[in-house]
Amino acid sequence: MLACVSAIAQTYHLPVAAIERVITRAARSHTGIGPMGIPQQWLPVLAVYHFPVALVRTTPCWGVAGGAWILALGHRFVGDAGVTTNTLAIPTIPATYRKIAVQAGAHYGVPVPLIIAVMAQESGFDAQAVSAAGARGLMQLMPATASRFGVSNPFSARQSIWGGTAYLAELLDRFHHNIRLTLAGYNAGGQAVARWGYHVPPYRQTQTYVPQVMARMAGITAEASAQK
């Protein structure tokens, strides 16, 4: 198992210790699937990304690989300190934010799981978040973008979600409802997507951002379906 963990840690650029912490926690709790205790709602997401779910369930190394991949989604370029023992869990979505997302999504015709996934990725549901580049609030809008969509207070949950949803609606329309290109535009700017021939630009952050948010979106959709 040690060799397996070491190889997977290298593949997903994770500290071995981070994977081992999750394995230890899963062994104590006896919950979830495989050595890393993968929550059931992540299985449809793993399937979308071509993991053999049957092997994830039954083979320890595949179970570690699936768990490490999910763990890597939470890393988000913040270094080893950003890898915690609870990142296999799909983030709990604050009820207030979900309600606002439902309202904004209905108004602009934007899928609610997309809004929530962007919010989770951008700010981790921290309404006071400020990035090094100056993006602010739940949807991490840059000042010029916030102003364009009528957001006067980027730290207002309602304004941020409505403004971010309006921006997503604009990008969805521009890119003919292609989710991948919409997310690339949200991260790198619509002009960058156009400049690179309407493909996801070859920027490291954007290349990672798009599948991360799509995975979150799939996870949120799967979780919502399971609750029905």
Side-chain angles (χ1 to χ4, degrees):
M1 177 67 82
L2 181 59
C4 176
V5 169
S6 297
I8 291 168
Q10 284 188 328
T11 299
Y12 293 113
H13 308 290
L14 290 170
V16 169
I19 296 175
E20 289 177 337
R21 284 197 300 270
V22 178
I23 292 174
T24 300
R25 185 183 182 204
R28 289 173 179 165
S29 65
H30 302 290
T31 59
I33 295 161
M36 295 185 72
I38 299 171
Q40 181 76 26
Q41 63 264 40
W42 274 110
L43 294 184
V45 183
L46 292 172
V48 167
Y49 285 88
H50 308 295
F51 278 84
V53 171
L55 292 178
V56 169
R57 285 181 175 276
T58 60
T59 306
C61 274
W62 273 111
V64 172
W69 181 81
I70 297 167
L71 193 66
L73 293 181
H75 204 289
R76 296 180 60 196
F77 301 106
V78 295
D80 294 353
V83 180
T84 65
T85 58
N86 63 356
T87 49
L88 291 195
I90 293 176
T92 300
I93 304 161
T96 301
Y97 299 166
R98 185 192 292 273
K99 182 177 179 181
I100 297 170
V102 168
Q103 294 168 344
H107 181 83
Y108 287 109
V110 176
V112 173
L114 174 59
I115 300 168
I116 294 174
V118 169
M119 195 189 319
Q121 183 74 16
E122 292 285 347
S123 67
F125 303 122
D126 178 3
Q128 303 303 311
V130 179
S131 76
R136 300 174 181 179
L138 288 170
M139 301 293 281
Q140 288 290 278
L141 300 173
M142 294 295 289
T145 305
S147 178
R148 182 152 63 93
F149 291 104
V151 177
S152 59
N153 178 8
F155 301 116
S156 159
R158 178 170 294 277
Q159 287 193 36
S160 183
I161 294 171
W162 275 79
T165 302
Y167 187 26
L168 285 169
E170 179 184 274
L171 292 167
L172 282 166
D173 184 63
R174 179 174 183 177
F175 299 124
H176 306 288
H177 288 262
N178 184 306
I179 298 292
R180 292 179 72 253
L181 296 185
T182 294
L183 290 171
Y186 198 95
N187 180 257
Q191 292 291 35
V193 175
R195 189 163 59 248
W196 286 99
Y198 292 89
H199 293 90
V200 177
Y203 311 145
R204 183 187 175 204
Q205 185 185 45
T206 306
Q207 289 280 333
T208 303
Y209 178 90
V210 171
Q212 283 181 342
V213 180
M214 291 188 74
R216 289 184 185 277
M217 184 179 174
I220 292 164
T221 301
E223 187 176 33
S225 297
Q227 292 174 352
K228 289 181 179 179

